[in-house]
Amino acid sequence: MSVAGLKKQFYKASQLVSEKVGGAEGTKLDEDFKEMEKKVDVTSKAVTEVLARTIEYLQPNPASRAKLTMLNTVSKIRGQVKNPGYPQSEGLLGECMIRHGKELGGESNFGDALLDAGESMKRLAEVKDSLDIEVKQNFIDPLQNLCDKDLKEIQHHLKKLEGRRLDFDYKKKRQGRIPDEELRQALEKFEESKEVAETSMHNLLETDIEQVSQLCALVDAQLDYHRQAVQILDELADKLKRRMRDASSRPKREYKPKPREPFDLGEPEQSNGGFPCATAPKIPASSSFRSSDKPIRTPSRSMPPLDQPSCKALYDFEPENAGELGFHEGDVITLTNQIDENWYEGMLHGQSGFFPLSYVEVLVPLPQ
């Protein structure tokens, strides 16, 4: 950094200390500028939270969301690939129904119905994949671009404006001790930065109809998804009702037990060649074969030293999705991270995964 640059940094730091500590007043910006800055700040917060909530809407499972974050694939699923990158719950349910329907076989009414329902659930999963891709392309990506480009550029201009204001106020307080030309240049730079920041904020607020268009694209994608979902479910309901009518019209088969075969109680066979078995002698309680009168104690679960964040399982937890950590009641799990207010990440027996907070009791909390 040049000498002039170092001097400017010193001026700005000195003015900032004077305002924060000494109570000195700086140049005030007009009310219209402050109001515009406030609206931009609210817009930035709204876009950021709506983005996060939209991703939760598309994938409610926190374990799946955390897995995507760890693998750094969130950017890849925003319309840049053909599939969203995670299994839909409808698809998992459909695969389960089809598997058990095949096991029950074609002679089972329930088995055939499970096959019909499973195929419909898989179609629903495909429609949900299309919804995810549409939302990511036409809603998430444009809002993310707004955050990464326009809002970021406005923050840059505001930061630059604040720095030039501090420089101008420092030199204004020392008017007469510094050259008038230097003070005039500081004022021109301050007014230039104010105009640039004001223009960028104005353009953002005046073109917010673009965000309305993106919100409309989100609603259109949802409508299309629900229309197709209703059609699929209507077709499934008709199939199931038709099966019920067909089953009720068929005569019921009565159960006829098979006749019991007579059981002939012959002479008992001797397994030792016809010699009667000798009764095994009873060992008295005082026999030397009995090593101890104390009951055998089952080994308890090993408790790791509680010098690190950990929790104790209150119930058994069977994982249903990839990335979840299964455990049994009484297991002590090492805590490594808190995903959100309902899910933890931890390690048990060398395996890492996610599990719900309601299944455990926290022994040593994670550091704040």
Side-chain angles (χ1 to χ4, degrees):
M1 185 180 292
S2 64
V3 176
L6 288 172
K7 287 174 64 177
K8 185 175 291 188
Q9 293 297 326
F10 173 75
Y11 294 162
K12 291 190 288 186
S14 299
Q15 178 64 23
L16 183 61
V17 171
S18 299
E19 294 178 6
K20 297 294 184 182
V21 179
E25 287 193 6
T27 301
K28 299 293 185 182
L29 297 169
D30 57 84
E31 291 300 322
D32 290 341
F33 186 93
K34 290 181 179 178
E35 183 66 21
M36 197 178 299
E37 187 178 4
K38 182 179 178 181
K39 289 181 179 178
V40 169
D41 183 59
V42 173
T43 301
S44 177
K45 291 179 180 177
V47 170
T48 302
E49 185 165 1
V50 167
L51 272 174
R53 297 300 181 186
T54 304
I55 294 173
E56 291 181 13
Y57 161 73
L58 295 179
Q59 179 47 268
N61 190 331
S64 297
R65 291 201 310 272
K67 183 179 179 181
L68 291 177
T69 302
M70 288 188 301
L71 297 176
N72 197 24
T73 57
V74 174
S75 61
K76 294 181 181 179
I77 67 173
R78 290 177 180 163
Q80 299 175 5
V81 292
K82 294 184 179 180
N83 56 64
Y86 48 77
Q88 301 289 0
S89 55
E90 294 87 347
L92 296 175
L93 175 59
E95 292 175 0
C96 171
M97 288 179 170
I98 291 174
R99 183 175 65 254
H100 290 295
K102 289 179 178 178
E103 291 177 354
L104 288 171
E107 296 181 358
S108 168
N109 292 322
F110 184 41
D112 288 339
L114 281 177
L115 290 174
D116 290 339
E119 291 296 338
S120 297
M121 290 299 151
K122 292 184 72 174
R123 289 175 61 194
L124 282 176
E126 294 174 359
V127 174
K128 186 71 179 297
D129 284 343
S130 300
L131 168 69
D132 291 356
I133 293 173
E134 285 292 323
V135 172
K136 287 161 188 170
Q137 286 179 338
N138 302 321
F139 185 69
I140 291 179
D141 277 352
L143 287 186
Q144 190 65 53
N145 184 63
L146 181 68
C147 284
D148 296 341
K149 186 179 178 182
D150 298 344
L151 291 172
K152 196 172 183 180
E153 183 178 333
I154 290 174
Q155 292 303 319
H156 169 74
H157 291 321
L158 291 174
K159 185 177 180 181
K160 191 172 184 178
L161 171 64
E162 178 65 8
R164 289 186 171 181
R165 182 195 69 78
L166 291 171
D167 181 62
F168 168 67
D169 286 343
Y170 178 85
K171 292 175 180 177
K172 184 172 66 172
K173 287 195 307 182
R174 286 154 183 78
Q175 189 174 4
R177 289 179 286 173
I178 61 173
D180 292 343
E181 179 63 21
E182 191 174 339
L183 180 60
R184 185 185 63 80
Q185 291 179 358
L187 176 60
E188 288 180 354
K189 289 183 177 180
F190 167 66
E191 291 178 344
E192 178 189 351
S193 288
K194 180 176 179 294
E195 183 178 352
V196 172
E198 205 165 23
T199 302
S200 61
M201 290 191 296
H202 174 79
N203 292 338
L204 174 72
L205 297 175
E206 285 299 312
T207 58
D208 62 349
I209 192 64
E210 294 181 6
Q211 283 76 63
V212 179
S213 173
Q214 292 149 12
L215 194 59
C216 183
L218 169 66
V219 175
D220 286 342
Q222 290 175 304
L223 279 172
D224 186 52
Y225 162 72
H226 287 293
R227 287 192 194 102
Q228 295 186 62
V230 167
Q231 181 180 353
I232 292 171
L233 292 176
D234 279 342
E235 293 174 1
L236 174 61
D238 290 341
K239 286 183 181 179
L240 296 178
K241 290 176 182 177
R242 189 162 53 249
R243 286 191 180 279
M244 292 169 61
R245 289 194 299 269
D246 293 344
S248 61
S249 63
R250 288 196 297 264
K252 293 183 179 181
R253 294 179 298 176
E254 294 184 2
Y255 172 71
K256 295 181 179 180
K258 296 180 180 179
R260 297 182 180 181
E261 297 180 359
F263 183 69
D264 184 16
L265 295 176
E267 293 293 329
E269 297 182 357
Q270 301 291 340
S271 59
N272 57 355
F275 294 97
C277 296
T279 304
K282 295 184 178 180
I283 301 176
S286 60
S287 170
S288 59
F289 289 100
R290 185 172 181 178
S291 58
S292 173
D293 292 334
K294 296 180 180 180
I296 300 174
R297 302 176 63 182
T298 58
S300 60
R301 299 183 185 271
S302 59
M303 290 280 290
L306 299 181
D307 58 350
Q308 55 186 341
S310 57
C311 61
K312 184 178 180 180
L314 299 176
Y315 320 99
D316 292 352
F317 177 65
E318 295 293 337
E320 298 180 356
N321 299 289
E324 294 180 348
L325 178 67
F327 50 75
H328 299 286
E329 178 183 353
D331 284 342
V332 176
I333 307 159
T334 302
L335 297 176
T336 57
N337 188 23
Q338 184 167 359
I339 305 303
D340 54 23
E341 64 272 13
N342 298 317
W343 286 78
Y344 272 128
E345 180 182 7
M347 293 189 64
L348 178 65
H349 305 317
Q351 294 185 348
S352 177
F354 310 97
F355 54 89
L357 173 62
S358 57
Y359 278 68
V360 299
E361 175 189 5
V362 177
L363 302 177
V364 179
L366 286 162
Q368 298 294 328

